[in-house]
Amino acid sequence: MDEEDPVCPLPAITEACKPKCTSFLQKYNACVERIEKKGEGDCEGWYFDYLHCVDKCKAPQIMKHLK
């Protein structure tokens, strides 16, 4: 019996969650535009809000794949 290498479900789960967090991504992108015009500051907080949304979405789905 041939055993296949296991496939990590994380990239697919992450991509499936990104559309659910578009409002956070839009806020981050708006911040980036403002910073580019202004020339100073950062959008780290907005980016972490987006990542938190994606992480919160994918956590329950990842747990389903754990043994």
Side-chain angles (χ1 to χ4, degrees):
M1 182 169 154
D2 292 331
E3 289 196 29
E4 295 180 21
D5 288 335
V7 177
C8 179
L10 185 60
I13 293 171
T14 301
E15 289 304 313
C17 283
K18 285 181 178 180
K20 297 177 182 176
C21 299
T22 55
S23 64
F24 291 100
L25 184 59
Q26 289 172 350
K27 291 175 184 176
Y28 169 70
N29 288 333
C31 178
V32 169
E33 289 179 21
R34 284 192 309 270
I35 296 302
E36 286 175 353
K37 290 177 185 175
K38 197 175 179 183
E40 62 182 47
D42 65 54
C43 299
E44 193 173 283
W46 295 111
Y47 187 67
F48 284 125
D49 287 346
Y50 171 66
L51 291 179
H52 177 75
C53 176
V54 173
D55 288 345
K56 188 174 179 180
C57 169
K58 68 184 179 181
Q61 296 175 43
I62 292 170
M63 294 301 167
K64 293 176 189 175
H65 293 277
L66 298 177
K67 289 185 178 181

